[in-house]
Amino acid sequence: MSTAVELQHYISGTWVQGGGGILTSVNPARPAETVAHGLHAGPADVERAMASAAAAKHGWARTPAHERGAVLLRAAVILEENAQLWGLELAREEGKTLAEGRGEVLRAAQIFRYYGNDGDREAGSVYASPRRGEKIFVTRKPLGVVGVVTPFNFPIAIPAWKIAPALTYGNAVVWKPASTVPLLAMRLTQALEQAGLPDGVLNLLIGPGSIGTALVEHPALDGLSFTGSTGVGRTLAAAAAGNGVPIQAEMGGKNAAIVLADADLKLATEQVILGAFRSSGQKCTATSRLIVADAVADEFLAGLAATARSLLVGDPADPSTQMGPVISGAARESIQRGITTALDQGADLLIGGLPYEDTARVAGHFVAPTILELKGTAPADIWRDELFGPVLSVRRAASTQAAFDLANDSDFGLSAALFTQDVTIALKGMDELDVGILHVNSESAGADPHVPFGGAKKSGYGPKEQGQSAKEFYTHTTTVYLQGSHSSSLRGDSA
Ligand code: NAD
């Protein structure tokens, strides 16, 4: 497992070296260990990939939906067969645990299977016509060439939930993954190559953000799907709007868990721990804020801190590890700075906070599970800013309404978790909590492929992802007024 993989790009059905500078991905638990190494893509590679996708798009769009789906279904099988190995590679390159790495590859397979079967679902709609002898159909067509720009934290699942619908609805794709996780991007591309995807229908360009910028500015681009930070997403959205290109952007979060006085505290403890610390808190839907009812706060926080303290933090290659490192040294430093600022602004440290100094972890990008309590109403950066690490900030609430108000006290609106045993309060939470995803009595992270995924407020822009929502983005409609040739009624309007 310690051999470095040669980094390659996939253009027009061929694996090629890039024309850009050197790019190396490393193991965040042992940064001296190279995972993949090579040259990243350059401007000429962008041109070739876009030309290749443009040349392939018509043939793929004309391929029957069931044939397109069959390629995706074969890719799902390949992903399943490689789940163990690629899951291990994912843990090595991204830093999540082995179980999570394998689970993510299987999630990608599940997504490919869901979209692979799309040919069996409805492909448009029929409306009645006010005119005799006529029906009105709404049919769907692919956008054409779609750019896909993805983040580091789900190196195979997020690309899968963009690329699978893009392909099943007949688009050609040019994909730029995060430069910290190129190996897993190559694995997903290999699965589609082995599944028989025609040349040019998927092109992979590994490289820095400038490759994403080049994609959004390219005249052959017909749509862009982005997931990543809010700043980058908004920049790309502005550029796409300037070129009249539809964009879907899923961005940052500052997701709250609300534990009310009547909650099952054992369940809430287990779920808040998973939400805050699984994947080292590097999920867009991770729980980074906790609001707990005054009446149970002391008891709940004591139990939560004790459970968090017992988490085994270490090398993801060890199957007993429960939390690995964060993605990079820069991420670790920025998270540690966020903790220091919170302490300077008066937060109480309940656990964690300090960098590890033992030999097993000092060189890796580890951040200790950290819980900070914010007292009073003084503004605190940590309540507002996404740190994207294993850091949970806590506030107490005197009433259910105060708890909901605190949860909504954020520019973001991706997900939330509400813990209560009272269905009336759960129903009120459904109405009041301004988020794209709400979990009642389960952690704030978690999504199924057949239902919409995405955020409200600063967390999302454009149509949602997954399920039937993906169709809204990856296709456009043609409204067809169909008259039989022997119709007795002529159209009377002139709109
Ligand atoms: P990031 O914004 O740094 O990078 C995302 C992608 O954009 C990468 O491929 C990156 O190379 C590219 N990029 C960076 N700068 C660019 C530029 N100027 N022009 C074009 N492309 C550019 O995000 P990240 O650090 O990889 O991921 C973490 C962020 O992603 C967090 O904010 C997290 O909340 C968010 N995220 C959101 C969701 C969601 O569904 N809402 C899911 C996962 C992650």
Side-chain angles (χ1 to χ4, degrees):
M1 275 304 294
S2 58
T3 325
V5 173
E6 186 196 355
L7 193 150
Q8 290 192 313
H9 314 265
Y10 189 65
I11 302 174
S12 242
T14 306
W15 289 96
V16 295
Q17 290 213 333
I22 288 175
L23 193 149
T24 302
S25 76
V26 300
N27 180 341
R30 291 188 296 275
E33 184 183 303
T34 298
V35 175
H37 179 76
L39 297 178
H40 66 71
D45 300 312
V46 175
E47 286 307 320
R48 275 198 295 277
M50 290 301 291
S52 143
K57 72 177 182 182
H58 294 299
W60 184 244
R62 289 187 196 113
T63 303
H66 286 81
E67 277 181 42
R68 295 196 300 251
V71 176
L72 271 61
L73 293 172
R74 287 196 293 275
V77 173
I78 294 164
L79 286 161
E80 280 161 354
E81 287 169 353
N82 287 284
Q84 188 65 27
L85 176 62
W86 292 354
L88 191 60
E89 290 179 340
L90 198 163
R92 191 169 162 240
E93 192 171 56
E94 198 271 349
K96 59 184 68 172
T97 63
L98 281 178
E100 289 174 295
R102 183 171 176 276
E104 191 183 326
V105 179
L106 290 173
R107 164 63 67 92
Q110 182 196 15
I111 292 165
F112 270 85
R113 185 155 282 123
Y114 172 78
Y115 286 106
N117 284 309
D118 204 76
D120 291 345
R121 301 188 189 107
E122 57 87 12
S125 44
V126 186
Y127 288 78
S129 168
R131 290 161 293 278
R132 289 170 193 271
E134 183 178 82
K135 291 255 184 283
I136 305 173
F137 292 77
V138 179
T139 63
R140 292 190 174 268
K141 294 186 177 64
L143 294 178
V145 175
V146 171
V148 166
V149 178
T150 52
F152 77 84
N153 64 321
F154 282 96
I156 202 158
I158 289 180
W161 80 49
K162 293 177 186 296
I163 291 169
L167 294 179
T168 213
Y169 298 127
N171 299 279
V173 173
V174 179
W175 172 28
K176 193 213 90 63
S179 52
T180 39
V181 287
L183 177 55
L184 266 293
M186 289 170 61
R187 296 304 185 224
L188 180 56
T189 306
Q190 285 164 357
L192 282 158
E193 179 192 26
Q194 287 165 26
L197 191 71
D199 295 351
V201 174
L202 171 65
N203 302 272
L204 170 68
L205 296 174
I206 295 161
S210 56
I211 300 297
T213 309
L215 287 187
V216 74
E217 286 171 354
H218 200 283
L221 192 77
D222 299 308
L224 184 77
S225 181
F226 168 83
T227 296
S229 55
T230 297
V232 174
R234 289 189 162 194
T235 305
L236 290 178
N243 294 335
V245 169
I247 180 166
Q248 164 190 72
E250 287 303 333
M251 302 176 281
K254 194 74 195 178
N255 313 299
I258 303 158
V259 178
L260 296 179
D262 73 313
D264 175 338
L265 294 188
K266 188 163 171 284
L267 171 81
T269 304
E270 168 200 295
Q271 294 295 308
V272 171
I273 289 285
L274 291 175
F277 302 123
R278 203 147 56 167
S279 290
S280 311
Q282 297 175 119
K283 291 185 184 180
C284 50
T285 48
T287 305
S288 51
R289 296 185 300 147
L290 170 66
I291 296 143
V292 57
D294 265 338
V296 291
D298 288 340
E299 177 191 353
F300 184 72
L301 292 176
L304 192 75
T307 311
R309 205 174 282 117
S310 71
L311 287 173
L312 299 173
V313 179
D315 190 336
D318 179 345
S320 65
T321 291
Q322 293 172 300
M323 195 184 103
V326 297
I327 187 69
S328 65
R332 184 191 53 205
E333 298 320 318
S334 128
I335 296 163
Q336 288 294 156
R337 269 199 307 281
I339 295 170
T340 305
T341 304
L343 295 173
D344 289 346
Q345 291 178 336
D348 285 350
L349 187 63
L350 302 191
I351 62 147
L354 295 174
Y356 289 110
E357 289 179 346
D358 56 284
T359 38
R361 290 177 290 197
V362 72
H365 305 316
F366 290 95
V367 177
T370 298
I371 305 178
L372 296 146
E373 184 171 356
L374 309 177
K375 295 277 173 63
T377 52
D381 293 0
I382 201 157
W383 192 251
R384 311 207 156 271
D385 301 339
E386 186 185 45
L387 290 191
F388 218 54
V391 183
L392 182 65
S393 53
V394 184
R395 283 195 193 273
R396 300 181 186 218
S399 66
T400 299
Q401 188 59 51
F404 289 167
D405 291 346
L406 276 171
N408 284 336
D409 176 29
S410 175
D411 291 336
F412 295 111
L414 184 51
S415 70
L418 171 61
F419 295 90
T420 177
Q421 299 188 72
D422 183 334
V423 75
T424 306
I425 292 177
L427 287 166
K428 187 172 160 60
M430 284 168 63
D431 284 341
E432 296 244 338
L433 295 168
D434 201 6
V435 287
I437 301 154
L438 173 63
H439 291 262
V440 180
N441 294 316
S442 61
E443 59 158 316
S444 60
D448 283 321
H450 62 295
V451 287
F453 177 89
K457 295 153 81 176
K458 267 191 185 170
S459 295
Y461 183 87
K464 296 273 167 79
E465 300 201 271
Q466 304 203 62
Q468 288 292 295
S469 309
K471 194 183 278 184
E472 296 296 323
F473 179 69
Y474 290 106
T475 62
H476 70 83
T477 57
T478 301
T479 304
V480 181
Y481 296 86
L482 181 64
Q483 283 271 352
S485 60
H486 301 295
S487 168
S488 58
S489 162
L490 294 175
R491 292 181 69 91
D493 61 22
S494 56

